[in-house]
Amino acid sequence: MKILVINCGSSSLKYQLIDSETEQAIAVGLCERIGIDGRLVHTPAGREKLIFDKALPNHEAAVQSVLAALVDKEHGVMESLSEIGAVGHRVVHGGERFTESVIIDDEVIKAITECNDLAPLHNPANLIGIDACRKLMPGVPMVAVFDTAFHQTMPKKAFTYGLPHEYYDKYKIRRYGFHGTSHSYVSKRAAEIAGLALDHSRIIVCHLGNGASVSAVLNGKSVDTSMGLTPLEGLIMGTRSGDIDPAIIEFIAKKEGKSIEEIMNLLNKKSGVYGMSGVSSDFRDLEAAANSGNELAKDATEVFVYRVAKYIGSYAAAMNGVDAIAFTAGLGENDKNIRRRICEYLGFIGVEIDEERNNVRGKEAVISSDSSGVKVLAVPTNEELAIARDTVMLVSNR
Ligand code: AMP
């Protein structure tokens, strides 16, 4: 079966067409600048990337141009759209309602809409993508896969904030966690590669990309994670501050005469390693700057590394130990220096990195030494494949 995986943002739409038998992507692509002018970058597997400047006034036009590219006579990858067996949609926030992926119907759409308050930038865009696909592919089953769902197994002690209880009752303010599809996929792969029985394992997953989060996965279930009500909490990220003393918000507001909205924008878009260094949110730029003596860039990467190590330490405590630590996403998969520097803090739990094994990029690998007390792995994430798998499972069981 061919599965179309859609990840729809406010002005962009990423897609992959995946063959569920081979689990390979047949085509991948991206619509950008939706509602502005429009651009479609379409790459059929093993062929040249194609760039089309297309008017994309809205998401329906974007989906339409994706479908046209997939069946294009010259650049397409299939004869007819009827070959698409199902569509899997990434949805950022499923609140407490969605603990797993679901087949989309009117009632599910209503429930996702009710979560919009919790992810005002993301959920409405995800819904627009779902709506456009339903219009253009009537009768094709669609599945929603939530970033938050994997973390719904967290116990109360992990998801409760130290706030008056009424805010949980009234507004459901609590830790939700994100990147769930990645944490789920990577923890399963890590158990397989490390030779652990998933239901008897303590795994810490470090999803280190532009957005970054850590999770504690006990016996295959998420029991804690670093992102919270929103993806702002936790690690220091490319442009997001991660954990700060909440009183800083009032302090800056008073000193700089800024509004709450301006400060939230600062914390989301102008902080993290970008704000700390004044150089870049991209670790490749930061490492180059640090190597040429930029002290702020050096400090920014060290603060980042230290924060990740602290979370790993606290999650080892949460699970009474750890069997495996898996690094994933742009940095975790590719940056041997960042992995080594994080692990240098972890000798106290028996972590020992093998320099040669750690010299990998974008590949599954055990990077710890044979004598290491904890298996350490690099595991490329594949959120699209995880979405396609859930989609096939739900559609086949209908
Ligand atoms: P992501 O959000 O998962 O795409 O990750 C983005 C981050 O990963 C950026 O900070 C990049 O610098 C980093 N990254 C991506 N590719 C590489 C690479 N080949 N080597 C080192 N860092 C990389």
Side-chain angles (χ1 to χ4, degrees), residues 16 46 78 82 97 103 133 152 233 260 295:
Q16 280 199 15
M78 56 188 180
S82 63
R97 160 72 197 270
I103 300 237
C133 287
Q152 276 298 306
E233 193 182 349
I260 294 280
E295 290 298 323

Side-chain angles (χ1 to χ4, degrees), residues 14 179 207-212 238 273 280-287 328-336 338 361-362 381 383:
K14 288 189 208 150
H179 294 141
H207 178 110
L208 309 180
N210 202 22
V273 290
S280 171
S281 61
D282 191 302
F283 273 74
R284 286 166 288 196
D285 301 336
L286 286 172
E287 284 175 53
T328 193
L331 267 181
E333 292 165 21
N334 295 304
D335 195 326
K336 63 178 179 185
I338 291 289
R361 193 179 275 264
T381 193
E383 288 164 286

